[in-house]
């Protein structure tokens, strides 16, 4: 489990690098910079073809072990603390800042948009909304079904993904049809004890070749983009995920502290990077009148990762509680008073 934790952090680090770059590049493009549009759209589509599926996959990879350890009620309660709470807090915080500074940003939003978060997630927070829906569904299924049903559930999720355009998106069902398959793929691979074999140089080369070939066929030959959902986009995403798993396992053989730190802090980076990266772009444009695309991309990415890491460091140093999670479930069970009364509050996992 320790080895899996290390390469898991590496996979999250790779995913979060792609996440930050993707949003920074989109911000630069929407701000009207003279960027090579063809190259931008190709890079954007390649990133978005698999980087969010990767995070759903990693969540699914550890799901069944957590379910067996905590039980259905315990797991569900923990997700209220670590998914619902940061979703509510940071949606309101980021949305309020964006509404106040909308004159400087690419998107003009009002407070009505911010406080529609219960039924209409916005910005990057759609992921937490979707992840909680998927965790809830998976918990309902596997609190009753044994792990032998993982393969049939995965097969059903493949069917739902391929034919998602024929399924209603009411109540955000599209979040499930579009993403549950990757969560289930993680569950499926978690049952395969030989997943560490992907760390071999041979399989790393095979998955890399598959990644290049599938992306080239999808984008270059067929001229499709990540928004074209179907069997082909699913193959591209799954092959790309396997490559990232193999790459992460290979890199984790010689762990680098700062790289693993980024992976272990991926939630903080995910929550804060939009504010940090957009802030860097606004600062460079309005204070220094800098329009260099490379400067904006580099500054946005560095700030989008460094600022959240600084926040994590300050939180840990000063023991500031309830920034990224809160023991709401303990309050529900009547023990919140005891937690609140502790002399030193630490950030909850």
């Amino acid at each position: 489990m320790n080895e899996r934790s290390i390469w898991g952090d590496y996979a999250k680090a790779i995913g979060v690098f792609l996440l930050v770059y993707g949003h920074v590049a989109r911000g630069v493009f929407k701000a009207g910079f003279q960027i090579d549009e063809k190259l931008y759209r190709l890079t954007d589509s390649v990133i978005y073809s698999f980087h969010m599926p990767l995070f759903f996959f990693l969540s699914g990879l550890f799901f069944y072990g957590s379910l067996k350890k905590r039980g259905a009620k315990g797991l569900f309660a923990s997700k209220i603390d670590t998914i619902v709470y940061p979703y509510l807090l940071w949606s309101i915080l980021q949305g309020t800042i964006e509404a106040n500074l909308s004159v400087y940003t690419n998107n003009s939003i009002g407070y009505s948009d911010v406080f529609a978060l219960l039924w209409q997630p916005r910005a990057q927070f759609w992921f937490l909304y979707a992840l909680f829906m998927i965790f809830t569904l998976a918990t309902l299924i596997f609190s009753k079904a044994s792990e032998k049903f993982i393969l049939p559930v995965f097969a059903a999720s493949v069917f739902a993904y391929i034919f998602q355009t024929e399924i209603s998106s009411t109540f955000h069902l599209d979040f499930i049809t579009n993403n549950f398959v990757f969560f289930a793929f993680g569950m499926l691979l978690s049952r395969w004890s030989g997943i560490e074999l992907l760390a071999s140089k041979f399989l790393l080369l095979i998955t890399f070749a598959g990644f290049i070939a599938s992306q080239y066929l999808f984008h270059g030959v067929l001229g499709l983009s990540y928004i074209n959902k179907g069997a082909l986009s699913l193959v591209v995403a799954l092959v790309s995920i396997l490559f990232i798993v193999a790459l992460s396992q290979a890199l984790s053989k010689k762990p680098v502290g700062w790289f693993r730190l980024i992976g272990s802090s991926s939630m903080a980076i995910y929550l804060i990077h939009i504010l940090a990266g957009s802030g860097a772009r606004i600062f460079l444009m309005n204070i220094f009148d800098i329009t260099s695309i490379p400067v904006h991309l580099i500054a946005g990415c560095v700030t989008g990762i460094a600022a959240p890491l600084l926040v994590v460091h300050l939180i840990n140093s000063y023991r500031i509680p309830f920034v990224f999670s809160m023991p709401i479930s303990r309050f529900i069970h009547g023990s919140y008073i005891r937690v609140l009364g502790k002399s030193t509050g630490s950030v909850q996992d």
Side-chain angles (χ1 to χ4, degrees), residues 42-279:
L42 174 60
T43 304
D44 183 77
S45 185
V46 170
I47 290 174
Y48 276 81
S49 69
F50 74 92
H51 83 303
M52 295 314 296
L54 173 65
F55 286 112
F56 285 108
F57 164 81
L58 292 171
S59 297
L61 194 67
F62 301 101
F63 167 79
Y64 201 79
S66 297
L67 180 63
K68 291 176 65 177
K69 178 181 179 181
R70 301 188 181 198
K73 291 183 180 179
L75 181 60
F76 181 80
S78 73
K79 299 312 169 186
I80 294 177
D81 300 345
T82 59
I83 296 180
V84 175
Y85 172 75
Y87 170 77
L88 295 173
L89 175 65
W90 285 90
S91 290
I92 293 172
L93 179 60
Q94 178 175 309
T96 301
I97 293 174
E98 288 179 331
N100 283 317
L101 299 177
S102 59
V103 65
Y104 299 109
T105 62
N106 295 326
N107 300 307
S108 178
I109 69 167
Y111 291 107
S112 60
D113 300 307
V114 177
F115 290 98
L117 76 171
L118 292 180
W119 58 87
Q120 189 58 53
R122 56 175 305 278
Q124 77 271 30
F125 301 110
W126 72 267
F127 170 72
L128 291 181
Y129 197 99
L131 186 60
F132 184 70
M133 290 178 66
I134 288 171
F135 259 112
T136 301
L137 177 59
T139 302
L140 287 173
I141 294 174
F142 291 100
S143 62
K144 304 297 183 182
S146 67
E147 61 181 297
K148 68 181 181 181
F149 285 93
I150 291 178
L151 183 57
V153 168
F154 173 68
S157 67
V158 168
F159 182 86
Y161 179 93
I162 293 175
F163 297 101
Q164 61 183 272
T165 56
E166 308 300 322
I167 302 174
S168 174
S169 60
T170 305
F171 302 116
H172 294 298
L173 287 178
D174 53 323
F175 283 166
I176 293 177
T177 57
N178 197 27
N179 301 296
F180 191 86
V181 62
F182 306 112
F183 188 91
F185 186 56
M187 291 183 63
L188 188 65
L189 261 64
S190 73
R191 300 297 91 199
W192 177 40
S193 59
I195 190 174
E196 284 74 18
L197 294 176
L198 287 171
S200 70
K201 292 182 179 179
F202 175 72
L203 287 179
L204 175 59
L205 289 174
I206 292 296
T207 55
F208 175 67
F211 170 75
I212 296 298
S214 62
Q215 292 286 353
Y216 176 74
L217 174 65
F218 188 76
H219 292 98
V221 177
L222 300 177
L224 300 174
S225 77
Y226 77 97
I227 63 173
N228 299 118
K229 303 299 183 182
L232 287 176
S233 67
L234 179 59
V235 170
V236 169
L238 295 181
V239 170
S240 300
I241 287 172
L242 288 176
F243 166 60
I244 297 300
V245 171
L247 178 62
S248 300
Q249 292 197 40
L251 293 174
S252 66
K253 290 181 178 179
K254 295 182 179 180
V256 178
W258 65 266
F259 197 79
R260 192 179 180 194
L261 174 64
I262 291 173
S264 62
S265 304
S266 58
M267 174 61 91
I269 296 172
Y270 159 79
L271 292 170
I272 303 174
H273 78 279
I274 292 288
L275 287 175
S278 298

Side-chain angles (χ1 to χ4, degrees), residues 315-329:
I315 288 170
N316 291 334
S317 297
Y318 294 98
R319 297 182 176 272
I320 304 172
F322 313 143
V323 177
F324 301 122
S325 65
M326 183 176 183
I328 300 174
S329 60

